[in-house]
Amino acid sequence: MSGIKELELLLSNMEPVLDERDFVFCSFPTLDWDQMRELNPIGIFHEKEGVTFILDTKNAVDKKIDYLSVYRLITLNVHSSLDAVGLTAAFSAKLAEKNISANVVAAYYHDHIFVPEEKAEQALEAILELQKKGTQRNVSTSLFHLFIP
């Protein structure tokens, strides 16, 4: 099943959900598969400087792993296509209006936004505002097409 590419459909159907857990980003100079299994990261990315793990904060604290900031995760529960254009720009701009940083991971089915822990509720409200505007535009466009042949 392929994901949605149309921006208006994505915005009006994105259903943002705020995860209860806190997360941190940690970097390791090399990838150790045993360490990876032990830490159970929700995300991994290889960079030339090392390997970034996204971990549950409790896990990082328990394992005495250093981190700089704590984030909350907002998942957009709409199956967005990896080829969709504008979704990241739309929610990033909305969050930037509210002075909220966004660390985005686009996975196969959904977009995942890590926002500062202390601004998580505000970020969720901002994305819900964006969704509401997308829904209103979708309804207006649909009505326009009903009355104008």
Side-chain angles (χ1 to χ4, degrees):
M1 177 173 148
S2 63
I4 299 169
K5 290 184 181 179
E6 297 81 17
L7 181 58
E8 295 301 321
L9 278 176
L10 287 167
L11 291 174
S12 62
N13 291 292
M14 61 184 170
E15 297 181 29
V17 175
L18 181 61
D19 196 297
E20 296 174 356
R21 299 169 292 172
D22 296 331
F23 296 94
V24 296
F25 288 68
C26 308
S27 183
F28 301 92
T30 59
L31 178 62
D32 177 330
W33 290 103
D34 291 330
Q35 182 182 39
M36 187 180 85
R37 278 191 294 278
E38 182 182 320
L39 293 175
N40 194 28
I42 67 161
I44 301 170
F45 198 88
H46 294 258
E47 299 177 286
K48 66 181 177 185
E49 298 86 356
V51 182
T52 298
F53 280 17
I54 305 171
L55 304 173
D56 182 293
T57 304
K58 183 182 179 330
N59 198 1
V61 169
D62 290 348
K63 305 287 188 205
K64 297 178 176 42
I65 296 171
D66 292 332
Y67 58 88
L68 297 176
S69 302
V70 178
Y71 300 91
R72 297 280 303 279
L73 170 61
I74 298 173
T75 297
L76 303 182
N77 282 331
V78 62
H79 184 181
S80 54
S81 169
L82 289 168
D83 295 325
V85 175
L87 180 60
T88 303
F91 66 70
S92 294
K94 186 65 174 175
L95 293 173
E97 281 177 19
K98 310 282 186 181
N99 197 35
I100 301 171
S101 67
N103 296 285
V104 181
V105 174
Y108 190 84
Y109 292 101
H110 307 289
D111 289 87
H112 307 275
I113 312 160
F114 292 88
V115 297
E117 172 190 34
E118 67 277 4
K119 294 186 176 185
E121 294 293 336
Q122 184 184 1
L124 181 62
E125 288 174 23
I127 293 170
L128 286 168
E129 285 175 22
L130 185 62
Q131 178 196 31
K132 184 177 179 183
K133 284 182 185 175
T135 302
Q136 289 169 345
R137 281 192 298 262
N138 236 2
V139 169
S140 297
T141 303
S142 296
L143 289 174
F144 178 79
H145 289 297
L146 280 175
F147 295 110
I148 308 298

